Amino acid sequence: MSQIGGLKPIVLELQPGTYWWCACGRSKIQPFCDGSHEGTGIEPREVVIGAPTKCSLCTCKLTRNPPFCDGSHKSIPPQPASPPPSPPVSAEPQDPNVPTP
């Protein structure tokens, strides 16, 4: 099963050529493949562009029209906010007889 690679499409002006769209969601260079799919059984999708084209490429991997965004990311429930980072741990020794504030 694919992972969500992003929550919004990436809009690019693609020049003529062959591109490999990440279908697994693991690539660190979304929306394109970086080989992270190896061993997943999911293969990237070849995209051939014949003329300069502005494209909205899917990163959620839920599109029904890969590699192009069809708005499916709007069905993903909002993600909970990350908890705030923990305060730094003091490198100073603590006196067990002194209460901490």
Side-chain angles (χ1 to χ4, degrees):
M1 174 178 251
S2 295
Q3 295 179 357
I4 294 174
L7 297 175
K8 295 189 286 188
I10 296 177
V11 179
L12 297 170
E13 179 78 33
L14 296 180
Q15 298 304 311
T18 300
Y19 299 86
W20 292 93
W21 176 74
C22 169
C24 72
R26 295 178 174 205
S27 176
K28 301 293 185 227
I29 58 167
Q30 291 292 329
F32 302 112
C33 178
D34 68 1
S36 296
H37 64 277
E38 193 165 326
T40 66
I42 300 170
E43 295 295 321
R45 181 172 286 237
E46 182 179 29
V47 181
V48 178
I49 302 295
T53 307
K54 187 173 185 177
C55 299
S56 196
L57 299 173
C58 174
T59 62
C60 76
K61 312 308 172 192
L62 300 175
T63 183
R64 292 186 184 131
N65 186 28
F68 306 105
C69 176
D70 67 0
S72 293
H73 60 277
K74 295 175 185 174
S75 69
I76 299 171
Q79 303 298 306
S82 299
S86 300
V89 177
S90 172
E92 298 294 319
Q94 299 295 312
D95 183 342
N97 299 316
V98 177
T100 54

